[in-house]
Amino acid sequence: VMHDLSIFGAFRHGWRVLRGNVVEIVPLALLFAGVHIVLWGLYNGIFIAIHSYLIYKVTGSADAVNAFLTLDFDEVSYVLISSIVSSGDSLNSRELFYIIINITSLALLLASVVIETIMTAWRSAAFTIGYRRWTAEKTAVPSDAPEPLPGL
């Protein structure tokens, strides 16, 4: 634990730093929250748009898209399966769309992991730099302090 403090000592130290620098920390936290909400909205909007399009292409039915958007996944499964069974098309073209949906889902999942990793690193770096700045004034050696003795 930092500065050789106990766990609870580190929490108390962190609370003191937060209280002493709340004017600088709150806007930074609000900035992070805002960026996170915007990225979350974009990601989910893209996810919903792509999956809605692919479900519509597979089923040709707006009912399946409506069921997907209302989170009625049983209905989505029913419409997808019934569209395959009742379709005169070969199953290969339908199976290709299922593969595309799964690959798209995996790609979006990996993209979200990369984005969240970048966000975590950014938050960590910003708060580490901030912490050093917020605590440096209290632990810095005064400019008028005497020079250490030679050989010590």
Side-chain angles (χ1 to χ4, degrees):
V1 182
M2 58 193 264
H3 303 299
D4 293 326
L5 296 171
S6 67
I7 293 173
F8 292 110
F11 280 123
R12 283 191 296 274
H13 174 70
W15 181 244
R16 278 192 303 270
V17 171
L18 175 65
R19 282 191 325 228
N21 299 288
V22 73
V23 173
E24 293 179 23
I25 293 172
V26 168
L28 187 60
L30 291 174
L31 172 70
F32 288 136
V35 168
H36 189 76
I37 288 169
V38 167
L39 288 176
W40 181 83
L42 286 173
Y43 171 79
N44 285 309
I46 291 168
F47 178 86
I48 289 170
I50 289 173
H51 280 74
S52 296
Y53 173 76
L54 291 174
I55 288 171
Y56 181 76
K57 288 299 277 184
V58 168
T59 63
S61 167
D63 293 336
V65 176
N66 289 335
F68 172 71
L69 294 176
T70 59
L71 305 177
D72 185 359
F73 297 114
D74 291 334
E75 179 67 21
V76 173
S77 299
Y78 173 75
V79 173
L80 286 172
I81 291 169
S82 64
S83 71
I84 289 174
V85 171
S86 65
S87 172
D89 293 342
S90 69
L91 292 179
N92 292 335
S93 65
R94 301 269 180 201
E95 289 170 356
L96 178 64
F97 277 114
Y98 288 127
I99 292 169
I100 291 171
I101 289 172
N102 289 327
I103 290 172
T104 303
S105 296
L106 181 61
L108 289 171
L109 174 66
L110 293 175
S112 73
V113 168
V114 168
I115 289 169
E116 193 57 40
T117 301
I118 291 168
M119 289 291 298
T120 300
W122 179 44
R123 278 191 305 265
S124 178
F127 276 109
T128 299
I129 291 168
Y131 173 79
R132 288 179 179 167
R133 196 177 109 214
W134 298 322
T135 59
E137 298 163 356
K138 293 147 186 82
T139 60
V141 177
S143 60
D144 60 349
E147 292 294 318
L149 295 175
L152 292 181

